[in-house]
Structure formats: C-alpha cells, structure tokens
Amino acid sequence: MIKKRKRIEIEGIVQGVGFRPFIHKLAKSHNIKGFVLNKPEGVIIEVEGEQTIIEHLIKDIREKAPPFARIRKINSKTLPLKGYRDFVIKQSSVKGEKRTLISPDIAICDDCKRELLDTKDRRYQYPFINCTNCGPRFTIIEELPYDRKNTTMKKFLMCEECQSEYVDTYDRRFHAQPNACEKCGPEVKLVNRKGSMVDGDPIKETTRLLKKGKIIAIKGLGGFHLACDATNKEAIILLRERKKRPYKPFALMAKDVDEIKRYVLLSEREEELLKSPGAPIILLQRKKGCSLPGEIAPNNNYIGFMLPYTPLHILLFKSSEGMDVLVMTSGNRRGESIIFKNDEALHSLGDIADYFLLHNRDINILADDSVVRVSLDDNQPLMIRRSRGFVPEPIRSPVHFEKNILGCGAHLRNTFSLGRGDEIFISHHIGDLESPRSIKTYESSIEHFINLFDIHPEIIAVDKHPGYFSTNFGKKRAEGNDNPLIGIQHHHAHIASCLVDNGIDREVIGIAWDGTGYGEDGAIWGGEFLIADLKDYKRKAHLKYFSLPGGEKAIKEPWRMAATYLYEIIGKDFLGLDIEFIHRLDKNKWKMLRKMIDRGINTPKTSSIGRLFDAVSSLIGVRDEITYFGQAAIELEMIMNENKEGLYNFDIKKEEEIYIIDPASVIRSIVDDLLKSVDIPQISSRFHKGLVEMIVKLSIIIREETGLNEVAISGGVFQNQFLLNESLRRLQGEGFKVFKHQSIPPNDGGISVGQVAIAAKKS
Ligand code: ZN
Ligand code: ZN
Ligand code: FE
C-alpha cells in the first residue's frame, strides 16, 4: 500500500469546541499517524496513511464534527513523507493570520448539569463546572489562539485532578480551557453594599435574601444581572424605583420549562430555543390570569423568559430553598451598557442592589442576554437583540469583501460590524451611545474585535447623521489611518441588512420604517419606500413631512406629536375639539410649541412612522410621555383588538417622482371616532390595518412602475408583530416574494451590517 502525507487546514469554529480531541480519536480509529495543532487561523492536521483512509478521515471530519464546531473551509495538500510514529496533539502556535472563529458562550450542558447535582461527584454544587461542550468562551478570551493562557482563567493554576482531565484526550474536559474545580478554580462570594463579606454559604444566603425581597446584583457570564423575586410585587416596585425604570419590561429567569408554562404560552419551537446552547430571552405571550405581578411588564402582553444557563444560576434555583422565578434584568444604569467588573458593580450599582453575588472569574468583554421572538404566524424566530450566546459567530455575506470594512453602526442600540472575505462579524449589543460608559465600551470593543480577529479596517462606513457619536468616531478613525470614509443613508442600511439576512444581492422594493434616521435632504426620515440593492437606492415614497417640535424632546413626549398633527392637519381651531386629548392638553405648553412650529425653531421635518404611532398613541389617550424607547408605539400595539372591523385610509399622491403618503384623513377619522366614543382597541386596530393597506397599495404601485416583485421589510417599527405578519400575509397574497429579518435585528442593531455590505459594493 502506498502511503501519503497530507496537510489539512480547517477554518471555522474549531477551537474551544472539542475539535482537537475529536480529530485525535478519529485519527486513532483510522490508525493514522501525524498531529493536530491549533493555529490562529484555525486547525492544522498532518496525517500519514493510505490515500483512501485519509479521504475517509476528511469525510468523517465533515460529517461527525462536534456539536458546536462550524467548519467553513477544508484545504488539503500532499507533502513528502516524514514517517510519523504516533498521532499527537501539538502545542498551539501563535504565529499566523487569525482566521479562526471564536465560539460564542455556551449554556451549561446536560452532562455538567448532572455532575453539578450529583452528591458523589467531585464538582457537586461547584458553580463554575464546565467542559469541552459548554461554558464561557467569547467573554473570557483575550487573544487567539483559544488557550487557557489567553483567557481570564490564566490566573488559576489547575490542581492535579483538573490537569489530568485537561491533558487526557479521552476525558470530556480535554483542553476545556475554563476547566476548574472547587480546589483550584474561581469562587463566589456574597458581599453587602460596602463590599463586606456576608457570612454563610453565598448561594444559600443569596436565595434567602431574595426570598426576603432583597435586590441582588449577580455576576453572570457576560455581565451583571439585577435580580429579585419575580413573585414579590414590592421587590419589583422597589427595583423599578431604584433603577429609575418605571415601565420597561423586565426579563425573567425561571427554574424550568414547566415553571415558564405556568405564566405564558409556549410553543415547541420556543421551548427548543429556550433550551438551545445560545439560551436567549424569548418574548412569550402572557397567559390569561397569569399570576405574576403586572409590574414585571406593564401594559405589555409579552414576558421575556430565559432558562438558567450557567451552573451558578442552576444552584440559585435548585438549592433546597431555591427560587422558582427571578427577575434578571441587565445590571446597568439607565441607558448605559451592562456592568461586568466587580469593582464597577459595587461602585455603579451600589444604590440599586442590596447585596452583590460576585465571583473572581473575570469577564474580559461584556455580552448582554440576547432577545428573540418567534412569529406566531410562521414559527420563524426573529432576533431582536443578538448578543450573548450568538456573538461572535459571523454571518455569511452575499457580497465578498475585497477589503476589510468597519461599519460603525447607529446611535441607539448600537452594534458595529467588521466585514472580511465572505463574512460579517457583528458585535455584541453595545447600547445607546449617549453615556461616557457606553462610549468607552464602544471604543474598547471595536479595538478588541480588530485585534482578536486580526481584521484591520481598510474602509470605514458610517451613518450620514453628522451628529452621531459613531459617525464622528468613524470619521476620526478614517482620518487617522488614511482610510476612505463612506457615509451610508440610514434606511438604505436597514434594507441592506435585511438583504444580507436573506443572503441576497439584488434590487428589491424596500420598506424601511423606524423612529429616526437622517435623510439626504436633512429631514428626519422613517416612513420610507425605497427601491434598493446593496449598492444604491432611490426613494420612491414616504410619509408626508410633519414638524418635530423640539427634536429629541418630541420623541420623549408623544403629546407634542399629537398636537402637531392636529395643528398641521386641522389648523389652529383644533383646540375647540371636544376630545379628551384637548381637555388634557396644557395650553401654555401648546402656545410655546406652536411658536416653535410657526417659526421653525429647533423644529426639523420628519416622515417617521414611529412619530405617527406616537401621535396616535397620545391622541387616543394611551401614552403622552414615554420612559423607554418605543413605549407609546408598543402600548398602542398592545391594546389593539384586531377582531374589530374597519380601517383608516391614507391618501397617496405623486409629487414629481415621489409618492407622498398623507395621513390627514387618518387623523381626521380618529378624531371622528373619538367623538363617536369608538373604543380605543378598535381605533388602534383601524390604524394598524390602515398601515397594512397602505403598504400593499404602494407596493403594487411601485411594482407596476418598476417591475420589481420582491419586497424587503426592515426597521424597528416592524418589531410590531401585527404590522409585520399582516403585511407579509397580504403582500404574499398579492403575489410578492417578501423578505423579513431572522438573525439580524430589524432595529438599529442591524444598521452596521447594512453599512459594511453597502460600503463593499460602493468601493
Ligand atoms: Zn458541559
Ligand atoms: Zn481543580
Ligand atoms: Fe433605524
């Protein structure tokens, strides 16, 4: 038999997922000699054996790879024989281009769960148990290749027993980098606000304090949670007061699926996602008569639930006096990014939490919980926030990146993206770039990604908004590095992100509806119909411009929009209308507002559908002022009764090349309905159905004009489930092919993806 020596190079997620032991076992079973080695660009295998056996081996690598491995590419070449005598795992090499992918953090696996609760196991109740198939990854990695010395675990020297597992090819902890036990690994401690230790078992004490209604900051995988007993109304109210967060829904963590089913409806698909390795928060429909306090998610029909995804979480629920369901909201101050260091937590959350459950396994980079909703219509998951458990796995790009591109993202719900080759690395959720803390997180996260993946940007893409922090950051970086800077219109980026999400690169009708996006004419856009591909776009239709008196202020105070719409549609006599809104309206404030509108002081023009939602929400008495992003629109959606009949008609007129959507008759009809005492759930329904009707009408008009039969739907407004599902259903009924988001958020969290794709095409 003729022997061959082959060098096999594998790229993908092949580190930290048990890949080398898998190769080792495979080689042994095929009686092949050689070695396997982690390199920054992936895994390298050299083998000597018969040609057919080597071919068989490569086939097995593809077909039998470990569950969390993602093979992107296998290259092999023949080399002269060397005469290997054994098959070994070699020391990692640090030289080379960093092409390998890093695994996201993985929820605790069933084997580790079993050991954690097994009184005879040496890791019984050890809160940091993990193995080759589970545990922290992205959040503890400082550098590639993924080896213990390049993680925050480097400060823990493994004990003899852990070490022997770590080096034993056949152990399920072989080269599990965060491997540890009670003797040698990280530990938890419970401290009070002053940082003094609390006596007793930290986890038992934590559950005891939670049961007493205390608020505890708990350090997790990618940052801190603020936790309290979700069945304790007073504790929840206290947390809301201290966090200065009166309405925004809190996420919950429940001990198991049965517990979750007590409160919300749960489909098979949703259950599967809850239990998946990414372990995201799933937004689930509240059951009628749900016994949890309404304060968890006021005026909202959904509750976000997740399952315990670290051993520490499991212990909080499984101890003899364990919890059943906890509020587990991000440990941050309002509008800031999540806190992930012990000292920062004590410093910044000291007036919110009563106690702190800390540990000394450092988090190198933050990662908030991801948020997913499954469509009631077609069972498809929609990523609303893509972060822990998913990042930094890249998304396949339909455009090839000749050069590395950094997309700096939007202003709110910021993420950034790096494009290289055929892949887009979307960052974790950074948050709103409005506080020094978030800005610091943004800047350091970009540097971390660039170094980690060795993707040095050669082109920088930014939003066209001149005032965004991200735009100015990109500008400065481009100037400093002599990189070309490409400005990208916000709604074009939304549509591009939807095209990337669907893996397509061709012209479509793009519907981009959101709250705010800087337009080419300096107005604030947000009710846009485009024809767009990944390179260019043309504006085909938009909501008629209305005033936005006070800019930012008008976003926080929807009553301003309601008054503005009435004024600009009905005229100054609107004040004589006998409706609740007018009785409620502060006439002095209105006088000031009117002056601003009349004189155009700090009053930009906007075509935002988000603002139209706000106006309607306030006009019918749902919400005059908001405390979190999108609140007025969300509450308007939540109160609708879609079984009620009727809809409001938008007028569509062509002005030059563009169709203008006039909501005047909609506002007039709402006033009529209010005067006739039509109930609010019905008005909301008529408004929603009117929007869907308008989408269908305009799509048909644009199809007739352009011949395009494909529609891409994007923008934060389409997190509105009724609007998305109905539009989809109706458009498909009219013969359109419709693309919606799945794994890239439709909100501004997806903007950076669109930016890199468009920049690649434009350059
Ligand atoms: Zn495990
Ligand atoms: Zn140990
Ligand atoms: Fe947007």
Side-chain angles (χ1 to χ4, degrees):
M1 287 292 171
I2 304 165
K3 275 200 171 182
K4 282 254 169 86
R5 170 173 167 231
K6 274 201 187 259
R7 189 180 174 89
I8 305 163
E9 297 183 350
I10 304 176
E11 288 180 15
I13 299 182
V14 287
Q15 295 184 10
V17 288
F19 203 77
R20 287 175 301 171
F22 154 74
I23 297 291
H24 188 272
K25 275 180 219 172
L26 213 57
K28 291 267 181 186
S29 73
H30 287 290
N31 197 23
I32 280 176
K33 314 289 184 208
F35 67 83
V36 57
L37 161 76
N38 266 0
K39 288 199 42 143
E41 60 266 44
V43 161
I44 290 184
I45 308 163
E46 278 205 17
V47 289
E48 282 182 0
E50 285 168 34
Q51 172 87 19
T52 54
I53 293 179
I54 293 178
E55 275 165 19
H56 203 130
L57 178 93
I58 295 177
K59 189 165 162 268
D60 280 353
I61 292 175
R62 281 194 191 279
E63 288 171 5
K64 296 177 182 166
F68 300 115
R70 300 269 182 285
I71 295 176
R72 285 284 153 91
K73 207 196 261 178
I74 300 186
N75 285 329
S76 70
K77 61 179 170 201
T78 307
L79 298 167
L81 283 173
K82 254 198 172 163
Y84 291 121
R85 300 180 151 223
D86 200 359
F87 193 90
V88 293
I89 297 176
K90 277 208 191 173
Q91 264 318 83
S92 296
S93 157
V94 287
K95 278 180 225 126
E97 207 190 332
K98 295 169 192 167
R99 280 266 164 186
T100 197
L101 303 180
I102 290 173
S103 165
D105 301 300
I106 307 167
I108 182 169
C109 74
D110 288 342
D111 289 331
C112 286
K113 230 181 259 180
R114 208 172 302 122
E115 290 182 7
L116 177 70
L117 302 171
D118 176 359
T119 47
K120 284 178 238 82
D121 193 90
R122 76 181 189 93
R123 289 191 181 85
Y124 174 59
Q125 295 196 337
Y126 179 57
F128 302 95
I129 185 171
N130 67 82
C131 73
T132 318
N133 287 324
C134 75
R137 297 287 185 275
F138 169 64
T139 51
I140 60 163
I141 296 175
E142 296 167 335
E143 246 188 288
L144 284 181
Y146 177 53
D147 273 335
R148 188 167 177 115
K149 64 175 183 343
N150 291 332
T151 70
T152 58
M153 282 299 291
K154 64 180 172 229
K155 66 179 180 186
F156 301 100
L157 188 68
M158 271 183 276
C159 69
E160 243 171 78
E161 270 172 296
C162 284
Q163 180 68 23
S164 68
E165 294 163 341
Y166 184 84
V167 296
D168 176 359
T169 328
Y170 293 99
D171 193 280
R172 63 182 204 88
R173 296 199 166 84
F174 175 74
H175 280 213
Q177 307 304 347
N179 190 28
C181 74
E182 207 160 29
K183 264 188 271 174
C184 66
E187 43 191 25
V188 289
K189 64 173 179 186
L190 181 66
V191 302
N192 64 18
R193 286 176 169 187
K194 292 187 184 111
S196 321
M197 288 268 266
V198 175
D199 291 337
D201 178 86
I203 290 171
K204 285 216 176 88
E205 277 304 303
T206 300
T207 53
R208 193 182 65 79
L209 290 163
L210 284 166
K211 291 229 155 148
K212 277 175 63 185
K214 298 292 179 193
I215 295 164
I216 318 249
I218 299 174
K219 187 173 176 183
L221 206 49
F224 276 82
H225 284 114
L226 286 162
C228 73
D229 182 353
T231 62
N232 184 335
K233 184 171 159 175
E234 284 72 36
I236 296 164
I237 291 172
L238 187 67
L239 178 56
R240 288 211 173 276
E241 279 169 13
R242 290 190 188 165
K243 232 192 156 194
K244 298 187 178 69
R245 181 165 152 164
Y247 289 102
K248 196 176 176 191
F250 283 148
L252 306 186
M253 185 182 274
K255 66 176 172 193
D256 54 29
V257 162
D258 287 338
E259 182 70 18
I260 292 176
K261 281 182 181 163
R262 289 179 56 193
Y263 311 114
V264 290
L265 303 172
L266 189 70
S267 70
E268 258 173 61
R269 184 85 184 93
E270 288 165 336
E271 180 169 341
E272 198 179 290
L273 281 162
L274 277 171
K275 294 175 173 168
S276 69
I281 294 168
I282 314 278
L283 302 182
L284 298 163
Q285 227 184 333
R286 195 195 290 252
K287 267 188 186 170
K288 278 221 174 73
C290 164
S291 63
L292 291 170
E295 284 77 7
I296 284 168
N299 309 326
N300 203 304
N301 311 333
Y302 289 79
I303 300 179
F305 265 108
M306 58 187 150
L307 287 171
Y309 56 82
T310 70
L312 178 61
H313 294 151
I314 289 179
L315 294 174
L316 290 172
F317 289 96
K318 282 282 157 68
S319 71
S320 49
E321 310 86 47
M323 307 301 298
D324 293 327
V325 54
L326 283 175
V327 167
M328 287 286 260
T329 187
S330 298
N332 59 351
R333 298 199 77 87
R334 202 174 156 175
E336 295 192 350
S337 48
I338 189 170
I339 284 163
F340 61 101
K341 289 185 175 137
N342 291 347
D343 50 343
E344 281 182 351
L346 283 164
H347 180 257
S348 297
L349 303 176
D351 55 348
I352 301 177
D354 297 300
Y355 295 91
F356 294 79
L357 184 60
L358 306 174
H359 62 70
N360 57 345
R361 187 178 67 197
D362 295 335
I363 297 169
N364 184 58
I365 190 154
L366 74 173
D368 268 78
D369 294 316
S370 296
V371 182
V372 173
R373 194 181 60 209
V374 176
S375 164
L376 296 173
D377 268 21
D378 59 10
N379 240 355
Q380 287 292 321
L382 168 70
M383 196 63 86
I384 289 172
R385 184 203 287 160
R386 185 181 186 273
S387 209
R388 189 224 0 111
F390 298 89
V391 170
E393 191 176 344
I395 290 208
R396 257 231 179 278
S397 167
V399 278
H400 182 80
F401 297 99
E402 300 289 337
K403 287 188 168 160
N404 298 335
I405 302 179
L406 168 67
C408 294
H411 187 64
L412 300 175
R413 298 173 183 218
N414 175 278
T415 65
F416 58 87
S417 286
L418 284 164
R420 173 180 66 193
D422 298 310
E423 287 169 336
I424 300 172
F425 294 78
I426 317 174
S427 78
H428 47 300
H429 168 78
I430 309 279
D432 305 345
L433 297 182
E434 291 190 330
S435 68
R437 214 196 125 69
S438 307
I439 283 169
K440 206 179 116 201
T441 302
Y442 176 70
E443 293 178 327
S444 59
S445 297
I446 289 180
E447 289 315 311
H448 182 61
F449 263 64
I450 287 173
N451 293 327
L452 198 58
F453 298 106
D454 208 9
I455 306 178
H456 293 269
E458 294 159 288
I459 296 168
I460 315 269
V462 294
D463 196 278
K464 283 201 169 168
H465 197 301
Y468 278 5
F469 177 83
S470 58
T471 304
N472 291 312
F473 171 87
K475 230 182 236 171
K476 256 186 251 159
R477 198 173 208 292
E479 278 164 18
N481 294 280
D482 227 352
N483 297 140
L485 181 80
I486 301 181
I488 286 152
Q489 202 280 322
H490 188 91
H491 302 93
H492 186 203
H494 268 309
I495 297 303
S497 74
C498 182
L499 296 181
V500 171
D501 204 351
N502 288 281
I504 60 170
D505 174 11
R506 52 179 183 265
E507 195 172 56
V508 295
I509 299 170
I511 306 176
W513 285 5
D514 62 3
T516 305
Y518 190 78
E520 307 276 0
D521 55 1
I524 293 167
W525 295 8
E528 312 306 310
F529 287 77
L530 316 175
I531 49 172
D533 56 22
L534 288 179
K535 189 170 181 213
D536 290 309
Y537 80 97
K538 206 172 151 215
R539 200 179 191 198
K540 287 301 288 183
H542 67 82
L543 189 68
K544 189 177 168 184
Y545 284 140
F546 280 81
S547 296
L548 186 68
E552 203 51 33
K553 262 257 137 129
I555 297 171
K556 298 207 167 102
E557 299 177 1
W559 71 266
R560 290 177 179 239
M561 289 318 295
T564 304
Y565 266 97
L566 288 175
Y567 178 54
E568 296 187 345
I569 289 166
I570 297 171
K572 63 180 183 345
D573 292 343
F574 85 88
L575 286 171
L577 289 170
D578 184 21
I579 54 174
E580 216 4 76
F581 175 77
I582 302 296
H583 304 321
R584 237 177 22 244
L585 183 68
D586 182 327
K587 306 298 178 303
N588 286 326
K589 279 190 181 173
W590 164 245
K591 246 191 216 160
M592 300 260 292
L593 206 67
R594 193 185 150 181
K595 247 183 228 166
M596 289 173 73
I597 297 171
D598 290 345
R599 299 181 191 168
I601 305 161
N602 188 20
T603 296
K605 296 282 172 196
T606 185
S607 59
S608 160
I609 294 280
R611 296 295 81 76
L612 178 62
F613 262 93
D614 287 354
V616 173
S617 190
S618 172
L619 181 57
I620 69 174
V622 171
R623 179 67 46 196
D624 290 333
E625 290 180 17
I626 62 166
T627 62
Y628 69 90
F629 187 81
Q631 184 180 0
I634 290 167
E635 292 183 355
L636 184 60
E637 177 191 1
M638 292 302 155
I639 57 140
M640 86 177 282
N641 179 351
E642 59 181 88
N643 299 321
K644 296 284 181 100
E645 57 175 30
L647 58 84
Y648 302 131
N649 266 308
F650 288 83
D651 293 317
I652 299 165
K653 277 181 228 116
K654 196 169 189 180
E655 283 177 18
E656 290 165 25
E657 283 300 285
I658 295 184
Y659 293 93
I660 306 295
I661 306 152
D662 191 345
S665 55
V666 172
I667 297 294
R668 286 177 198 278
S669 305
I670 291 175
V671 170
D672 285 347
D673 276 355
L674 287 171
L675 289 169
K676 279 186 264 174
S677 302
V678 174
D679 69 4
I680 292 171
Q682 179 158 13
I683 296 179
S684 172
S685 163
R686 289 178 172 177
F687 174 64
H688 276 85
K689 287 175 184 167
L691 288 167
V692 173
E693 197 61 37
M694 179 255 282
I695 284 178
V696 175
K697 241 194 241 170
L698 264 166
S699 300
I700 291 172
I701 291 174
I702 298 171
R703 173 166 67 186
E704 278 166 5
E705 228 174 74
T706 62
L708 294 170
N709 192 43
E710 294 182 324
V711 180
I713 296 180
S714 189
V717 168
F718 288 104
Q719 286 167 171
N720 182 312
Q721 182 138 240
F722 177 85
L723 202 58
L724 178 64
N725 289 346
E726 272 303 289
S727 303
L728 204 77
R729 197 178 62 77
R730 291 283 313 282
L731 286 169
Q732 284 166 343
E734 296 292 337
F736 286 99
K737 172 129 183 70
V738 188
F739 299 104
K740 61 169 180 167
H741 282 266
Q742 304 145 51
S743 46
I744 299 169
N747 56 52
D748 283 5
I751 284 291
S752 62
V753 177
Q755 289 173 343
V756 290
I758 296 167
K761 280 287 194 176
K762 280 193 187 287
S763 61

